[in-house]
Amino acid sequence: MNRFPVRKVAVLGAGVMGAQIAAHLVNCRVPVVLFDLPAKEGPKSAIAQKAIENLKKIKPAPLGLADEAALIQPANYEEHLALLGECDLVVEAIAERMDWKLDLYAKIAPHVAPHALLASNTSGLSITKLSEVLPEAIRPRFCGIHFFNPPRYMALVELIDTPATRPEVLDQLEAFVTTALGKSVVRAKDSPNFIANRVGIAGMLATMKEAATYGLGYDVVDDLTGKKMGRASSGTFRTADVVGLDTMAHVIKTLQDNLQDDPFYESYATPPVLAGLIEKGALGQKAGAGFYKKAGKDILRLDPATGEYVPAGGKADPLLDRILKKPPAERLKLLRESSHPQAKFVWAILRDAFHYAAVHLEAIAETARDVDFAMRWGFGSKQGPFELWQAAGWRQVAEWVQADIDAGVALCKAPLPPWVWAVDGVHTAEGSFSPSASTIRLHQVEKSLGPLSFALDANLSTLKHVPLRDLPVYQRQAFRENVLGSGAVEPLKSGTEVWKNDDVRLWTPEGASYDGVLVASITCKLHLISPAVVEGLLKAVELAEQSYAGVVIWSPDDVFSAGANLEALMPVFMKHGSMGIKPEVKKLQDALLRVRYAQVPVVAAVRGIALGGGNEVAIHCARRVAAMESYMGFVEVGVGLVPAGGGLAFVARRAAEMAAAGNANADIQKFLIDGFTSAAMAKVGTSALENRKLGYLIDGDVVVPHKDELLFVAAAQVRAMAASGWRPPLRAPFPVAGRSAIATIKGQLANMRDGGFVSAHDFHLATLIAEVVCGGDVDGGSLVTEEYLHALERDRFCALLDHPKTQERIMGMLQTGKPVRN
């Protein structure tokens, strides 16, 4: 792959977005300089430095590790413009003021390196107009790059070119932000607010209007427009609070200022309630009040009729719950035909979304797929508007929408564009429909085709469906994300199946990059570790040792494994008690030792959560390849248990290895404390970087920014390890800290218990964990084996199963999904 080397990035502007873009660059190990204005007092770079320090306080955390804020270099425009010459990419992210941006470009232009790319992180200003102030030499290297907030967590990046931008510039930038930063790219046309904000904010405005029309409370609307509709859980009004009502108003004003000829122009009016909140300084979450306000532990919502805050918590009618679970065609039919105000509201906002997206598609995007991706990646929707429309029946939905337009109940009178009637859907196996690349000619016919009596004139029409952009970077994505209707292969139905049981599929992917690699995919709910999963892992090792270079444990979703399947073991426990569970625990321990000492490398491809038993599977592998957003940890104390799949033995062994690496006479207890504390306090790493700090990832493990490259990188690790003559570690006993360390830890725990910091049962659990990781009742420095420690794990795990407090915690978790603290 021809790569554009980005050795250092400059970010101009240390506001909310600029500082967080800089933070994400550091997360991804890209050196970055953060610029802002020179301070009037004190150090000249104080503004940038303050923004860097504030990164440590923001939630959700923009940094994978808070102390890595120090890796961001602060700078100012008065003293440090020469640093721009060292940067391969310059991202401007100052306030959304055209005049300010143009002034800054004039100032920095002489200092930008001759090869460097310059990009503006604007949410909607004209990229072409911004480029006009730049020297001719820079214009071909200038484009728009729109990160979504918060940059670490939101997948979407929109790239926008100008007439002068060289095509390879966008190709290079797309490759960089995909692989190096883990982002998903949509190329947008240079129209106001581009794609996601254009469609998304118009949708939020429509939702606010329809909510008022049908008299629905903000909490009810958010319940309806959240997960129930396959959208972000924050719904509409809560999302506005999180984004910031002033920010939303700014995006709305961009629409108002630049789209006077838009048929939907009247719907861009700032809602009076929004204007009123902004006038009062109630700007949403950052101001402590907006559409919602927190009072102590209570969440209040604004009552627009009185202007007062009242208790929130309103939910959708159960009828809507049932309707929204129906298949798309039935769902939309029921919504449209229902007389229930909530159903009429949901149909109205869906109709408005279909109508708006169809009318504006040609102006804002190359294809319908770009709109659907933008809404998926930028607004957290499971489906974009065109995907849902097509899934529900393209022609029927079009007729319903046009009927509402004709009846005067839609947002505007503009008819659906002719191309809607020329296609039977926008997404096909060949690609997605592109109005700008197509020629549509319709002729009127006598037989009714719906609200419009037109048919396609095949002799004068060309329907163009554009495939996904085939850049070399996408060869790293075995199962590239696609849209409904594209015919994309489902990962777990692809490749060659080698073996399968109820919970595991063993298979080989297609392509030379995966030659010799056996993939083990856990297929059960939450990928919980069950006897069938244990059987599948053993089978994977057995088959790989016979015929493959190695194994990758990978599944195509955001769960590596949520832990042991306690519910599956319940019948055994009810029949045989804790002693019936002990053999099952030993089977898991033995299986994970089999993975650890396999004669071929086993690589865990960790994405999303790897908790409890899932974490134990990962740490026993020869190597881990982890997505940036991976959450690993021992969480067994939450259900009143202790790790018993070899996790505590791993903590003890790692402490011995680290002590030996530092000094043969080093005190093992010093290296043991972090691992003990993580298990006893159920610490979960909230990023791959934190997982490395906690010891769940170690030297040699690989962090992958883009989730869809995980399988490719893990397979490459297996192939490289096998080619290099990799051998498993030798089985050998190792020293433990012993009884004296147990006594020390227990004394500290007693102080915490007596001080009311932990419960008596938590004290008991932590004591048992200490006993195992220290090696039990032996002298410090005694040599033990993993099997010896496994026996200690089993004994304590099974004894806890009989403890009433543990049984309370287990039942509470099974019934509510939340930990019980007793």
Side-chain angles (χ1 to χ4, degrees), residues 205-223:
L205 287 170
T207 299
M208 292 178 181
K209 175 184 179 298
E210 304 292 3
T213 299
Y214 292 100
L216 303 183
Y218 302 144
D219 45 2
V220 173
V221 170
D222 283 350
D223 189 47

Side-chain angles (χ1 to χ4, degrees), residues 11 358 386:
V11 176
F386 291 119

Side-chain angles (χ1 to χ4, degrees), residues 522-529 557-564 609 611 614:
I522 305 174
T523 58
C524 53
K525 184 179 179 180
L526 293 177
H527 307 166
L528 296 175
I529 308 300
D557 57 21
D558 287 324
V559 179
F560 179 77
S561 171
I609 59 174
L611 303 176

Side-chain angles (χ1 to χ4, degrees), residues 517-521 550-554 601-605 710-711 713-716 718:
V517 176
L518 181 66
V519 178
S521 296
V551 179
V552 171
I553 304 174
W554 173 87
V602 181
V603 172
L710 201 61
L711 179 59
V713 176
V718 164

Side-chain angles (χ1 to χ4, degrees), residues 47 149 721 767:
I47 296 175
N149 190 23
M721 292 166 74
T767 298

Side-chain angles (χ1 to χ4, degrees), residues 618-642:
I619 61 179
H620 279 85
C621 291
R623 186 162 295 171
R624 285 137 298 279
V625 174
M628 180 66 72
E629 297 308 317
S630 298
Y631 308 92
M632 304 175 71
F634 298 124
V635 294
E636 286 82 355
V637 297
V639 289
L641 296 169
V642 298

